[in-house]
Amino acid sequence: MEKAISTVYFYIPRQVTLLDLSGVLQVFQEAILLGFEYKLQFISSQSSVICSSGLELASLTHFSKTKPQKEDIIFISGFSTHQIDLNHEDPSFFEWLQEVNANQITICSICSGAFLLAKAGLLDHKQSTTHWKLVDKLQKDFPLTQTQSNTLFSQSGNIYTSAGITTGIDLALHIIEERHGKQTAAVIAKELVVYKRRNGNDEQESVYLQNRNHHDEKIHIVQDWIISNIDKTSTIDFLADLIHIGPRNLTRIFKKQTGITIAEYRTKLRIEKAKSLLTNTDYKIEHIAHLCGYKTSKQLRIVLENHLDALPTTIKNRLS
C-alpha cells in the first residue's frame, strides 16, 4: 500500500516577505530529502507576485483550483507591513480559508499573514501572535483575537500563528516534530544550522540581545565575556579588571545601563543555556549543571524551579 502524500500549500500574498516563505519551505524540502512524503504547491490570488524585495514569483496556482485534504498543511506567508491596510486579496480567498478551516486542516500564518487569517474570522476567540511590532495593531483591528505578545508561535486547535521571519522555521520544525518525532526535527534543524529549536513560549527577542540597548562599550565587553564564559565563575573584581574600572563603579554602571545586576544577567544566560541543553541533548543533569557554571545539579534545579512556570513540559519532565 502506498504512503499517503501530504501537500504543503504556500499561499503567497502580494509583497510577500521572501524569508517568511523560504524558511518554512526549506524545512519541508529537507523533510522530503529525508524520505517523507510531501508535495509542495505554491498558490496565490494571481499567477505571479512581486516580493517585497522586488523578486517576481511566477507560475502560481490559483487557490480556488486546490482542494486541501485533512492531512495537508497550509502556510500563509507574511508580507510588507505597508500592505496590511490595503485590501488586495480576492474576497473569495477568505471564503476558501473558511471552508478549509471547517475541515480542520492545519493552517499556519507567518508574521503579518495572521492578518489574513483574522480577516477570515479564523482567529476569533483564539490565541494568536504576530511580529512584535504588529501585536497591538492585530489586537486593535481584530478585538476578538486573543493576541499574545512576545511569543514565537502559538497554536489554537488546527490554527498556528508565528511571529515571522526565522520563527516560521521554528513553527515548521514544531509541526515536523508533531508529525514525525523529535529526532527528525533535530536532524532537520542541524541541517539548517539552526543553533537550537525554540519553543513557542520563548521570547521573540533572544536572551543574548536583551539588556543591551545601551552604548556603553565597556559594559558590552563585560556582557560578551559572561556570554562566552557562562560555564566559568568570576568575581566582580575580575570583571572590573577587564575594563579597568573599580568593582563598585562596575556594579553601579552595569545596573544603570542594563536595568539588572550582573548576577541577574548571568542567571538569565545560564537558564537559557540550561533550557537549550535539556531540550536538545541527552546529557545528564549533573553535566548540564557544570556546563552552565553550577557546581552541582541541585544548584541548577533550584534556579530552574524558581522559573518553573516559564519552562516547557519536556524540561519539567526531565527535572522531575
Side-chain angles (χ1 to χ4, degrees):
M1 189 168 114
E2 293 186 0
K3 289 183 180 179
I5 298 178
S6 297
T7 299
V8 184
Y9 294 93
F10 296 90
Y11 181 80
I12 304 175
R14 296 187 187 189
Q15 290 291 299
V16 63
T17 303
L18 198 55
L19 189 54
D20 282 355
L21 169 64
S22 61
V24 176
L25 170 61
Q26 193 60 41
V27 170
F28 285 93
Q29 183 64 49
E30 294 295 337
I32 292 171
L33 293 175
L34 289 176
F36 294 99
E37 301 286 340
Y38 284 107
K39 176 183 177 183
L40 309 179
Q41 187 163 358
F42 305 95
I43 62 177
S44 186
S45 297
Q46 48 272 326
S47 60
S48 65
V49 166
I50 302 295
C51 298
S52 60
S53 56
L55 180 68
E56 182 177 10
L57 302 178
S59 301
L60 306 176
T61 300
H62 197 275
F63 65 85
S64 63
K65 296 181 180 180
T66 66
K67 294 187 180 296
Q69 303 299 307
K70 179 74 174 179
E71 67 278 2
D72 295 338
I73 307 170
I74 299 169
F75 280 94
I76 313 294
S77 298
F79 48 91
S80 170
T81 55
H82 300 298
Q83 301 291 309
I84 289 178
D85 293 321
L86 302 177
N87 191 14
H88 283 319
E89 301 308 316
D90 188 330
S92 63
F93 168 65
F94 300 108
E95 297 174 6
W96 179 82
L97 271 180
Q98 291 166 357
E99 293 174 3
V100 170
N101 183 53
N103 293 325
Q104 289 295 295
I105 294 168
T106 298
I107 304 175
C108 312
S109 68
I110 312 299
C111 195
S112 55
F115 283 80
L116 298 185
L117 297 188
K119 286 182 181 180
L122 270 58
L123 300 184
D124 289 357
H125 309 294
K126 292 184 177 180
Q127 291 186 345
S128 63
T129 194
T130 186
H131 190 280
W132 62 268
K133 287 185 178 179
L134 301 174
V135 166
D136 290 342
K137 180 173 177 56
L138 181 62
Q139 186 65 66
K140 179 181 177 182
D141 291 357
F142 302 96
L144 294 181
T145 297
Q146 299 171 8
T147 310
Q148 298 177 300
S149 61
N150 212 12
T151 299
L152 296 184
F153 59 84
S154 66
Q155 177 186 1
S156 188
N158 62 305
I159 303 292
Y160 298 74
T161 54
S162 72
I165 311 295
T166 57
T167 65
I169 296 175
D170 297 309
L171 173 55
L173 288 169
H174 175 73
I175 291 175
I176 288 291
E177 180 175 314
E178 286 186 328
R179 295 190 170 211
H180 307 297
K182 181 176 180 179
Q183 184 60 35
T184 298
V187 169
I188 293 177
K190 184 176 181 180
E191 187 65 28
L192 296 177
V193 200
V194 176
Y195 168 64
K196 77 181 195 69
R197 286 194 48 252
R198 298 177 292 179
N199 297 289
N201 57 0
D202 281 353
E203 296 181 345
Q204 288 190 24
E205 185 181 68
S206 168
V207 68
Y208 300 104
L209 300 178
Q210 293 171 21
N211 306 106
R212 301 198 65 149
N213 189 26
H214 61 83
H215 301 288
D216 192 313
E217 184 178 347
K218 289 187 175 182
I219 298 303
H220 282 305
I221 291 173
V222 172
Q223 290 177 294
D224 289 341
W225 190 92
I226 294 173
I227 289 173
S228 300
N229 298 275
I230 202 65
D231 60 327
K232 297 180 175 64
T233 57
S234 59
T235 64
I236 295 295
D237 289 341
F238 173 83
L239 295 175
D241 284 343
L242 287 177
I243 54 176
H244 310 294
I245 66 174
R248 291 182 63 183
N249 203 20
L250 169 60
T251 301
R252 179 184 60 81
I253 296 174
F254 193 98
K255 178 68 179 291
K256 178 182 177 181
Q257 298 290 11
T258 67
I260 59 176
T261 66
I262 293 175
E264 289 170 335
Y265 183 68
R266 195 198 311 269
T267 298
K268 284 182 65 172
L269 296 172
R270 285 177 168 174
I271 290 173
E272 177 68 11
K273 182 166 185 177
K275 285 167 60 178
S276 176
L277 293 171
L278 286 165
T279 300
N280 300 300
T281 74
D282 294 322
Y283 294 159
K284 293 182 178 179
I285 304 295
E286 191 76 26
H287 183 52
I288 291 175
H290 292 158
L291 292 176
C292 294
Y294 294 107
K295 293 182 178 179
T296 67
S297 60
K298 182 178 179 180
Q299 288 179 317
L300 175 60
R301 288 178 186 275
I302 290 173
V303 172
L304 292 177
E305 285 171 1
N306 289 333
H307 298 80
L308 207 57
D309 291 342
L311 298 178
T313 305
T314 52
I315 293 180
K316 292 179 183 177
N317 291 339
R318 288 201 65 181
L319 294 175
S320 62

